[in-house]
Amino acid sequence: MTGKIAIVGAGPSGCFLAQALLKAAPDLEVDLIDALPVPYGLVRYGVAADHQGTKAVTRQFARVFERQGARFFGNLCIGRDISLDDLRAAYDVVVLAAGMSVDNRLGVPGGDLEGVYGAGRITRALYEHPDAEALPDLGSHPLIVGNGNVAIDLLRLLAKQPEELAGSDLGPGPSDWLARSGIETITVTGRSPAARAKFDPVMIKELAKLGGVSIRVIGAGEAPDDEAAKRLDALAVIDGHGDGPRKIDFRFELTPAEVLGAAGKVTGMRFSTAAGDAQHIACSSVLTAIGFGPADDLPREALIAAAADREAGALAPGLYATGWFRRGPRGTIPDNRADAQALAGRILAEISASPAKPGRGLFDGRPGIVDYDGWCRIDAAETAAPSQGRCRIKIPTRTGMTMAAIEGATSR
Amino acid sequence: MKISILYGTETGNAEMLAEDIQAELDAAHDVTCDNLADTDPTALDPTRFYLLVCSTYGDGELPASAQPFAEAIDKAGPDLSNVHFAIFGLGDSEYHETFNGGPKRLAELMIARGARQIGDRIAHDASGPDLAEDIAFPWAEQVLAEAEERLGAPA
Ligand SMILES: Cc1cc2nc3c(=O)[nH]c(=O)nc-3n(C[C@H](O)[C@H](O)[C@H](O)COP(=O)(O)OP(=O)(O)OC[C@H]3O[C@@H](n4cnc5c(N)ncnc54)[C@H](O)[C@@H]3O)c2cc1C
Ligand SMILES: Cc1cc2nc3c(=O)[nH]c(=O)nc-3n(C[C@H](O)[C@H](O)[C@H](O)COP(=O)(O)O)c2cc1C
């Protein structure tokens, strides 16, 4: 089978899709296009710096380029550098696997105060995404709103002592920022009861390895079923853990009502409890880990609303969606794999190739594109001389990356 | 020898390794490679040597693609007393208490139904320095040598 397929987004969804397509039909031309000069999406810029084992999935993705013949076109933003219409005209099939990256807003009075930051903003800055804003001063008592895995990742990183980051790929700037944070207390709040919190129990149990903390779990309540019992068991394991100087409090059934501030700075939060009472918690900053929405480079909402078969990811003839872009910001890497494998079957059943279409010829002569070999040079530069107990030192800027892509390991 | 590689996976690492092992053994043996999700435990063939390659999830539990197989063993209670297998794990020592727990559970299930394990249950550590195939290829060679003795005539 032949045909030209462009996948927009080289995160796990795009890579798993290319893997499945080329496994079934090795003669397809599959191009992975990413707005960044580097592939792998949130595996590089979302999965925690101290969870390197999870990032090892990129070994499979490297094979998609090295052995299965997929091509990488990095540093090319669809919707900005090239329109979606032009891309569709050039390829037989276009698949949107662009993820979701914009932090959901808290949507309460005071939610836009200085000192309220989304988890995406903070994790991008921690993991040195080239478009990240600077890391802000969180003060001595950040409060995390949200009970998903992203909230727990954030908590763990903020709570870690410098030596607990050995073997990670947290960069020198963010490592220094963490070491000097001056954080004394971290409060984690969830809207649901603990029994229905979204975190994975193993993420909670991992906190029992932290050295510099003392953890309290307040009001975890009862478990109505086995699933909930696993969550409460995990919380019971960490309740009372440690006698370190950094205090961590877990609280539940608190619905955000208002961020309180004085002189434009956050001083606390008001919640409403399950019983409908108001509860105030003092804090110096608010970190929201309450989900993500789409970026505005692609008209996601309109495309999804008009989809021919949204569940299957079929948007329009020759246009498909997969991963977080299709489903919303839920689900782990394995979920994206299952999603991509199902979509590959559908695409293979529906593709009709027009040999006259130029495919990747559309990008001929465009300056600044980083190809897979360019990424390999960036990768080599980042891993050539890792120091200070790090497995990788990321190049934090777009210019630095594109230079390393051309010049190789000497450009740092 | 007739070899069936069966993998249990969530993100595909075990599948990739299973395919690598297949490619490594293909020249000298008759090798198939399948997902545990597509394998019926009541139809295992005593003339084949089974190489299981399986990751671990949750809290030392089996990955999604191995769960239907484990449930089918539980439910059907097949007699596996003539079945020989070896098992290789993919895990992450970050989860130190439950490291390689999935393959442990899978091996126990098979052994409880009479299957004979050959060689040790060893594992790749995603947080360690080694590539999975660098550990798995020597392991495969060794368990194959043992299996050839036990199962008799090489094919
Ligand atoms: C902080 C955080 C931590 C996480 N930790 C884990 C974890 O430990 N384990 C786990 O299993 N899951 C984790 N997840 C979930 C996991 O990251 C997602 O399930 C997965 O990354 C979604 O894959 P995707 O390919 O759909 O999107 P993404 O990974 O977001 O990839 C989308 C890609 O598209 C590119 N792109 C976007 N717009 C355009 C455009 N207009 N043109 C070209 N390219 C574009 C982006 O640059 C990006 O590379 C985490 C998520 C977050 C946010
Ligand atoms: C949520 C989660 C839980 C995990 N739990 C364990 C565990 O308890 N024990 C272990 O050894 N490995 C554990 N792992 C590591 C995986 O088994 C390892 O990453 C493996 O390479 C995945 O292989 P797969 O892609 O074939 O599923 C876990 C990984 C994740 C993402």
Side-chain angles (χ1 to χ4, degrees):
Chain A
M1 183 183 298
T2 61
K4 301 184 185 75
I5 300 180
I7 300 173
V8 180
S13 300
C15 290
F16 278 130
L17 179 66
Q19 180 187 58
L21 286 168
L22 288 165
K23 196 168 178 178
D27 293 330
L28 290 173
E29 286 176 43
V30 178
D31 296 338
L32 281 149
I33 301 163
D34 207 287
L36 293 175
V38 292
Y40 310 147
L42 286 170
V43 175
R44 181 174 161 101
Y45 290 118
V47 170
D50 59 347
H51 279 176
Q52 291 296 317
T54 303
K55 294 181 193 259
V57 69
T58 57
R59 280 200 74 216
Q60 287 180 61
F61 302 158
R63 294 231 183 144
V64 175
F65 299 109
E66 291 171 8
R67 298 197 190 167
Q68 292 186 285
R71 298 267 298 264
F72 179 60
F73 293 85
N75 210 16
L76 193 60
C77 181
I78 303 305
R80 224 182 308 154
D81 299 329
I82 285 186
S83 75
L84 179 57
D85 287 343
D86 288 350
L87 192 71
R88 290 182 70 189
Y91 282 86
D92 298 312
V93 164
V94 170
V95 185
L96 304 177
M100 288 211 171
S101 57
V102 179
D103 283 300
N104 282 340
R105 298 235 157 159
L106 202 46
V108 299
D112 295 325
L113 276 174
E114 178 70 31
V116 180
Y117 307 106
R121 169 177 172 175
I122 301 294
T123 50
R124 273 193 293 278
L126 276 172
Y127 306 145
E128 297 178 290
H129 188 292
D131 303 336
E133 294 172 72
L135 281 162
D137 180 3
L138 301 181
S140 63
H141 183 180
L143 180 148
I144 297 174
V145 177
N147 260 180
N149 289 338
V150 173
I152 307 302
D153 265 353
L154 203 52
L155 165 68
R156 191 184 65 254
L157 282 153
L158 292 179
K160 276 197 165 178
Q161 301 169 302
E163 63 274 18
E164 291 173 321
L165 290 160
S168 73
D169 64 359
L170 197 73
S175 298
D176 191 47
W177 178 83
L178 277 180
R180 292 186 297 102
S181 75
I183 292 173
E184 292 164 8
T185 304
I186 307 169
T187 303
V188 187
T189 65
R191 199 152 45 171
S192 322
R196 286 209 311 277
K198 290 208 190 75
F199 55 67
D200 190 332
V202 284
M203 295 278 294
I204 294 294
K205 286 191 186 165
E206 188 181 352
L207 300 174
K209 288 198 247 169
L210 296 178
V213 300
S214 39
I215 303 179
R216 283 193 306 171
V217 178
I218 299 151
E222 304 277 299
D225 54 60
D226 284 359
E227 267 304 298
K230 284 188 190 165
R231 278 186 211 113
L232 296 196
D233 288 351
L235 287 167
V237 168
I238 61 161
D239 187 17
H241 165 76
D243 52 9
R246 208 162 253 172
K247 296 189 176 57
I248 297 175
D249 285 355
F250 279 86
R251 293 171 183 271
F252 303 93
E253 294 183 85
L254 293 174
T255 302
E258 184 180 1
V259 181
L260 308 167
K265 294 197 74 179
V266 169
T267 57
M269 251 189 100
R270 180 167 63 80
F271 296 90
S272 63
T273 67
D277 304 329
Q279 178 159 350
H280 289 82
I281 300 178
C283 61
S284 55
S285 56
V286 172
L287 306 179
T288 60
I290 51 172
F292 302 92
D296 56 14
D297 301 311
L298 296 164
R300 192 237 176 209
E301 300 312 313
L303 290 169
I304 294 283
D309 183 351
R310 178 183 173 166
E311 256 322 288
L315 301 181
L319 184 67
Y320 301 84
T322 191
W324 272 22
F325 190 86
R326 177 180 79 76
R327 298 194 313 275
R330 283 169 299 277
T332 56
I333 295 166
D335 298 315
N336 298 308
R337 181 168 181 264
D339 198 357
Q341 291 183 339
L343 181 62
R346 171 123 184 184
I347 291 172
L348 291 169
E350 292 181 350
I351 190 169
S352 75
S354 312
K357 291 200 169 192
R360 57 186 67 132
L362 178 66
F363 314 131
D364 282 352
R366 255 189 174 277
I369 290 183
V370 176
D371 62 8
Y372 184 75
D373 289 341
W375 154 244
C376 289
R377 285 187 284 270
I378 295 171
D379 189 38
E382 291 186 337
T383 52
S387 55
Q388 295 153 356
R390 296 293 183 264
C391 63
R392 168 189 298 275
I393 305 283
K394 282 183 195 166
I395 300 174
T397 63
R398 222 173 250 274
T399 321
M401 289 193 267
T402 45
M403 277 174 53
I406 298 164
E407 298 164 20
T410 54
S411 71
R412 274 186 67 86
Chain B
M1 178 152 40
K2 293 192 287 182
I3 300 166
S4 290
I5 305 172
L6 302 176
Y7 57 86
T9 189
E10 274 196 26
T11 66
N13 295 338
E15 180 173 353
M16 180 167 88
L17 178 63
E19 288 171 354
D20 286 352
I21 298 173
Q22 180 181 30
E24 181 75 5
L25 302 179
D26 235 359
H29 303 274
D30 159 14
V31 193
T32 62
C33 182
D34 293 286
N35 196 329
L36 276 169
D38 305 324
T39 305
D40 175 359
T42 64
L44 298 182
D45 174 357
T47 69
R48 304 191 75 88
F49 178 41
Y50 288 91
L51 289 180
L52 308 185
V53 179
C54 184
S55 64
T56 298
Y57 277 85
D59 223 357
E61 284 148 36
L62 290 170
S65 102
Q67 283 174 13
F69 182 83
E71 281 158 24
I73 292 186
D74 267 342
K75 214 177 188 175
D79 173 13
L80 303 179
S81 54
N82 292 317
V83 172
H84 290 78
F85 74 98
I87 188 161
F88 186 90
L90 288 101
D92 187 340
S93 58
E94 282 287 323
Y95 304 89
H96 60 276
E97 277 167 28
T98 54
F99 180 60
N100 203 24
K104 180 166 184 276
R105 209 176 105 60
L106 193 56
E108 283 167 0
L109 274 174
M110 305 258 307
I111 291 166
R113 305 303 325 153
R116 319 237 181 118
Q117 184 176 351
I118 290 178
D120 293 331
R121 177 170 50 79
I122 68 165
H124 171 255
D125 175 6
S127 289
D130 301 311
L131 297 180
E133 56 270 30
D134 290 345
I135 307 174
F137 290 174
W139 163 84
E141 203 175 307
Q142 199 195 325
V143 294
L144 272 180
E146 280 185 50
E148 262 161 8
E149 270 177 32
R150 288 229 233 150
L151 274 98

